[in-house]
């Protein structure tokens, strides 16, 4: 398979993964909004934090290192040994599910059976669902290695949709089942997922005329099973040693990735009800970051990595590409700051209303609004950090990346300690404050790198973080008016059915006025793009066109190709 074909298939896999992520988020959003009307926040907390952590920890420890080792290198290998190695994930998964299940039942706090019934059954079924999913690991790795793009998308989408339908049906008709509902739905999800892969490969290998079959290293479905009859080694020991190396890394990565849930689960800093509310608010807040800012970060990391040569000093870069990278970075920083400020300002006033619409009084009363308001500030930091780090990681040398990773490790470890202390002091909002502190340190490091990188050049991309006093005044005025409106509406105690229709249009008018400059910016940019030609820099234009955010790339190209217009554009901001 040629490099261009591999690149094309990898791009399709990435885009499909993005669409799949959007689908997951939308389905989860709608499902949670539905089940919150029927389930207590204690049950939601046990399922979304305690039991989901058991499932994710079991699958991660059992397969992550095997995946990374078996997908490394070329597809030209002895696949029988690789498949034998992958089947070891099943007994390893059985070990982790039994060990962690014992920890979850014997060492951790057990929920009140009157509030959260059937906890023991939930632990058993979630552990069993992890083992069932590991049965499909050889099929999954073989499909990923040969880039079967549609298989992964269809299998996971179908599994999630069917799980959602089953959960909604059981919640509606059998609400007293409690954890039985989510446990059975999780087991059903993993079973459908594995069956999708088994049925696909069975059908593919039984049709000789299929072109894909000739590219596979197996000819029968039984070739995917463990082979104990070989005279050679059962596994490739080089792959086995690589798996052990990845396991040591992945163990630490899992602790840092799921740090909040581990602190909640093992240190008992929050009760199950607060855990449920925090998890729901965290999912709501992360929707914006994952659906808006993450695609921008991933796309423009590719752009910066192509335009800038990693191991070269800034003075040795191709100056035309060096300049357009600075201007794109400046535009991205300004856009991220404006979008983050908009979310933060209006999020403070909208938080209680949004939670009331989404989950009713269970979320809109208590700590929910404070959590979501604090998370709006965290979204602002996420937006800026995504842009600064995508440039920093693309421009850093290998040695600088290694030093940065060591710093990140220290920051992640300190985050666990800080989150525990802050949560003891101010409740569940402490997790978000710890994240804000961690994100602030990362932004500071990236800004220092960008400043040093462009220090000896005439370009100043960090100017994108400077907003005009007029725009800042509009944000401040909008935030003040919407905040006062929220306070007055709560004191008047207007019924929800009356206050919601009155508040939304009023807040939307203020938000529209604050966003008016962004709309004018886009129209202004597009009008100049239509009257300019882009034939001077085909290489840079090609790289910009490969990014997946057209409005941003058009803006960056416009700034690059029309200097006088660029100055007028900055005056408007």
């Amino acid at each position: 398979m040629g490099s261009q074909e591999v690149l094309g298939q990898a791009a399709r896999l990435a885009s499909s993964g993005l669409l799949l992520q959007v689908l997951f988020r939308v389905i989860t959003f709608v499902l949670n909004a539905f089940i919150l009307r029927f389930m207590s926040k204690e049950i939601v907390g046990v399922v979304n934090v305690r039991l989901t952590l058991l499932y994710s920890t079991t699958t991660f420890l059992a397969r992550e290192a095997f995946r990374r080792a078996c997908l490394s290198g070329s597809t030209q290998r002895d696949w029988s040994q690789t498949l034998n190695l992958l089947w070891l994930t099943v007994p390893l998964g059985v070990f982790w599910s039994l060990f962690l299940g014992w920890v979850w039942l014997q060492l951790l706090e057990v929920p009140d059976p009157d509030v959260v019934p059937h906890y023991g059954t939930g632990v058993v079924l979630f552990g069993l669902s992890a083992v069932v999913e590991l049965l499909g690991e050889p099929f999954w790795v073989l499909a990923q290695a040969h880039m079967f793009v549609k298989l992964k998308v269809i299998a996971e989408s179908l599994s999630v949709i069917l799980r959602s339908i089953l959960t909604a049906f059981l919640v509606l008709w059998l609400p007293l089942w409690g954890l039985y509902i989510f446990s059975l739905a999780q087991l059903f999800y993993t079973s459908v997922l594995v069956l999708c892969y088994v049925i696909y490969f069975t059908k593919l290998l039984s049709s000789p005329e299929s072109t894909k079959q000739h590219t596979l290293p197996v000819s029968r479905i039984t070739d995917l099973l463990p082979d104990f009859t070989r005279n050679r080694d059962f596994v490739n020991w080089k792959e086995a040693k690589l798996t052990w190396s990845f396991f040591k890394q992945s163990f630490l990565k899992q602790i840092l990735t799921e740090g909040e849930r581990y602190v909640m689960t093992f240190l008992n800093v929050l009760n199950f009800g607060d855990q449920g509310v925090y998890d729901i608010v965290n999912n709501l807040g992360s929707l914006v970051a994952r659906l808006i800012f993450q695609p921008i970060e991933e796309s423009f990391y590719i752009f910066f990595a192509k335009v800038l040569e990693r191991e070269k000093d800034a003075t040795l870069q191709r100056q035309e590409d060096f300049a357009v990278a600075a201007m794109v970075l400046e535009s991205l920083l300004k856009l991220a700051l404006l979008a983050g400020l908009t979310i933060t300002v209006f999020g403070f006033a909208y938080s209680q209303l949004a939670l009331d619409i989404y989950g009713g009084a269970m979320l809109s009363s208590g700590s929910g609004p404070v959590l979501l308001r604090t998370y709006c500030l965290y979204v602002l930091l996420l937006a800026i950090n995504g842009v600064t780090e995508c440039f920093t990681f693309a421009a850093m040398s290998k040695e600088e990346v290694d030093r940065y990773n060591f710093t990140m490790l220290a920051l992640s470890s300190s985050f666990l300690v800080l989150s525990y202390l802050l949560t003891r002091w101010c409740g569940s909002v402490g997790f978000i404050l710890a994240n804000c502190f961690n994100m602030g340190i990362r932004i500071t490091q990236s800004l220092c790198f960008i400043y040093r990188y462009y220090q000896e050049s005439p370009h100043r991309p960090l100017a994108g973080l400077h907003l005009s006093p007029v725009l800042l005044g509009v944000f401040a005025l909008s935030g003040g008016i919407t905040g006062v409106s929220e306070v007055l509406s709560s004191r008047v105690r207007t019924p929800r059915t009356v206050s919601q229709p009155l508040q939304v249009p009023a807040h939307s008018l203020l938000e529209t006025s604050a966003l008016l400059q962004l709309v004018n910016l886009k129209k202004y940019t597009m009008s100049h793009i239509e009257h300019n030609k882009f034939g001077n820099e085909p290489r840079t234009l090609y790289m910009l066109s490969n990014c997946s955010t057209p409005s941003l790339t058009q803006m960056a190209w416009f700034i690059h190709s029309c200097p006088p217009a660029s100055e007028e554009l900055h005056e408007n901001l």
Side-chain angles (χ1 to χ4, degrees), residues 15 18 294-300 302-303 543-553:
S15 60
L18 178 60
Q294 186 175 0
I296 294 175
E297 178 183 351
E298 293 174 350
S299 299
F300 280 92
I302 297 174
F303 164 71
M543 292 179 180
L544 281 169
S545 66
N546 277 295
C547 297
S548 63
T549 315
S551 59
L552 293 178
T553 61

Side-chain angles (χ1 to χ4, degrees), residues 12-24:
R12 289 194 297 273
L13 183 62
S15 60
S16 300
L18 178 60
L19 293 175
L20 188 64
Q21 186 183 56
V22 172
L23 177 64
F24 284 174

Side-chain angles (χ1 to χ4, degrees), residues 4 39 53 78 86 247 386 420 471:
Q4 293 297 325
M39 291 294 173
L53 183 64
D78 188 342
L86 288 169
F247 176 78
Y420 172 76
L471 185 58

Side-chain angles (χ1 to χ4, degrees), residues 19-302:
L19 293 175
L20 188 64
Q21 186 183 56
V22 172
L23 177 64
F24 284 174
R25 291 285 171 177
V26 171
I27 292 176
T28 304
F29 185 87
V30 175
L31 176 63
N32 283 341
F34 178 79
I35 64 176
L36 285 176
R37 266 64 181 178
F38 300 90
M39 291 294 173
S40 66
K41 59 184 180 181
E42 286 78 14
I43 289 182
V44 174
V46 170
V47 172
N48 289 0
V49 177
R50 177 72 68 87
L51 296 182
T52 300
L53 183 64
L54 169 64
Y55 164 78
S56 64
T57 304
T58 301
T59 53
F60 190 93
L61 294 178
R63 74 184 180 192
E64 181 65 18
F66 290 86
R67 283 185 171 184
R68 295 177 63 183
C70 295
L71 288 174
S72 301
S74 172
T75 57
Q76 302 299 322
R77 65 178 77 186
D78 188 342
W79 271 97
S80 61
Q81 289 183 320
T82 300
L83 293 172
N84 287 341
L85 182 64
L86 288 169
W87 279 111
L88 294 179
T89 59
V90 177
L92 191 60
V94 172
F95 166 76
W96 283 118
S97 64
L98 292 175
F99 174 73
L100 294 175
W102 176 80
V103 172
W104 257 240
L105 290 172
Q106 300 297 325
L107 301 184
L108 299 181
E109 177 189 2
V110 177
D112 184 353
D114 295 330
V115 180
V116 184
H118 319 303
Y119 172 73
T121 304
V123 170
V124 172
L125 291 181
F126 266 79
L128 178 61
S129 68
V131 176
V132 170
E133 185 169 343
L134 293 173
L135 292 173
E137 198 61 22
F139 303 90
W140 186 91
V141 170
L142 188 63
Q144 288 292 104
H146 292 82
M147 293 188 177
F148 290 176
V149 179
K150 292 183 179 179
L151 173 60
K152 181 177 184 292
V153 174
I154 293 175
E156 296 191 3
S157 300
L158 181 63
S159 303
V160 169
I161 292 172
L162 291 178
R163 179 181 63 180
S164 302
I165 293 173
L166 178 62
T167 304
F169 176 82
L170 293 177
V171 165
L172 185 61
W173 293 102
L174 300 167
L176 297 179
W177 275 27
L179 292 185
Y180 280 150
I181 296 173
F182 299 94
S183 303
L184 292 174
Q186 180 68 19
L187 184 59
F188 179 71
Y189 159 76
T190 56
S191 302
V192 172
L193 183 62
V194 173
L195 282 176
C196 286
Y197 281 96
V198 173
I199 292 173
Y200 178 85
F201 277 103
T202 301
K203 184 178 180 180
L204 178 64
L205 295 174
S206 62
S207 57
E209 65 277 5
S210 175
T211 56
K212 286 186 177 181
Q213 185 201 18
H214 301 294
T215 64
L216 293 175
V218 293
S219 57
R220 297 171 299 176
I221 191 66
T222 54
D223 293 338
L224 289 167
L225 299 176
D227 185 5
F228 298 96
T229 61
R230 292 168 53 95
N231 294 326
R232 297 176 57 186
D233 292 335
F234 182 72
V235 299
N236 184 329
W237 289 106
K238 183 178 180 181
E239 286 183 348
K241 292 178 181 178
L242 184 62
T243 301
W244 173 245
S245 299
F246 281 134
F247 176 78
K248 291 183 289 186
Q249 297 176 12
S250 63
F251 190 81
L252 179 60
K253 177 185 175 183
Q254 173 66 5
I255 295 177
L256 299 179
T257 302
E258 299 282 4
E260 296 173 358
R261 285 187 168 90
Y262 284 117
V263 171
M264 291 184 200
T265 300
F266 287 94
L267 300 181
N268 295 324
V269 293
L270 298 176
N271 58 48
F272 293 113
D274 289 340
Q275 290 180 23
V277 173
Y278 174 82
D279 187 77
I280 294 168
V281 172
N282 185 61
N283 288 334
L284 283 173
S286 63
L287 269 175
V288 176
R290 293 186 180 276
L291 297 185
I292 298 178
F293 300 128
Q294 186 175 0
I296 294 175
E297 178 183 351
E298 293 174 350
S299 299
F300 280 92
Y301 170 79
I302 297 174

Side-chain angles (χ1 to χ4, degrees), residues 245-433:
S245 299
F246 281 134
F247 176 78
K248 291 183 289 186
Q249 297 176 12
S250 63
F251 190 81
L252 179 60
K253 177 185 175 183
Q254 173 66 5
I255 295 177
L256 299 179
T257 302
E258 299 282 4
E260 296 173 358
R261 285 187 168 90
Y262 284 117
V263 171
M264 291 184 200
T265 300
F266 287 94
L267 300 181
N268 295 324
V269 293
L270 298 176
N271 58 48
F272 293 113
D274 289 340
Q275 290 180 23
V277 173
Y278 174 82
D279 187 77
I280 294 168
V281 172
N282 185 61
N283 288 334
L284 283 173
S286 63
L287 269 175
V288 176
R290 293 186 180 276
L291 297 185
I292 298 178
F293 300 128
Q294 186 175 0
I296 294 175
E297 178 183 351
E298 293 174 350
S299 299
F300 280 92
Y301 170 79
I302 297 174
F303 164 71
F304 289 129
K306 287 183 177 181
V307 169
L308 303 173
E309 297 185 45
R310 186 181 293 274
E311 299 298 333
K312 284 188 177 181
D313 189 69
T315 57
L316 302 177
Q317 300 284 346
R318 187 183 178 194
Q319 291 307 303
E320 293 171 345
D321 291 343
F322 186 70
V324 77
M327 293 178 182
V328 170
L329 177 59
E330 182 179 350
S331 300
L332 288 175
L333 285 173
K334 190 172 291 291
L335 182 71
L337 183 58
L338 288 173
L341 280 174
T342 302
I343 293 171
T344 301
V345 168
F346 293 99
F348 271 79
Y350 274 114
S351 292
Q352 187 166 7
L353 180 63
L355 291 175
D356 192 46
I357 295 173
Y358 182 64
M362 185 185 77
L363 293 181
S364 61
S365 60
S367 62
V370 176
L371 283 172
L372 191 55
R373 290 183 182 118
T374 311
Y375 206 97
C376 290
L377 175 62
Y378 181 52
V379 169
L380 170 62
L381 298 177
L382 279 176
I384 299 173
N385 181 73
V387 173
T388 56
E389 280 197 347
C390 83
F391 177 87
T392 301
F393 289 149
M396 277 181 170
S397 65
K398 183 179 181 301
E399 292 74 17
E400 289 172 325
V401 172
D402 291 337
R403 289 197 299 269
Y404 190 85
N405 287 338
F406 181 78
T407 305
M408 288 288 293
L409 178 62
L411 282 175
S412 300
S413 302
S414 63
F415 162 74
L416 295 178
V417 178
L418 186 62
S419 61
Y420 172 76
L421 296 177
L422 288 176
T423 306
R424 285 291 188 186
W425 175 48
C426 54
S428 53
V429 74
F431 283 115
I432 304 177
L433 293 176

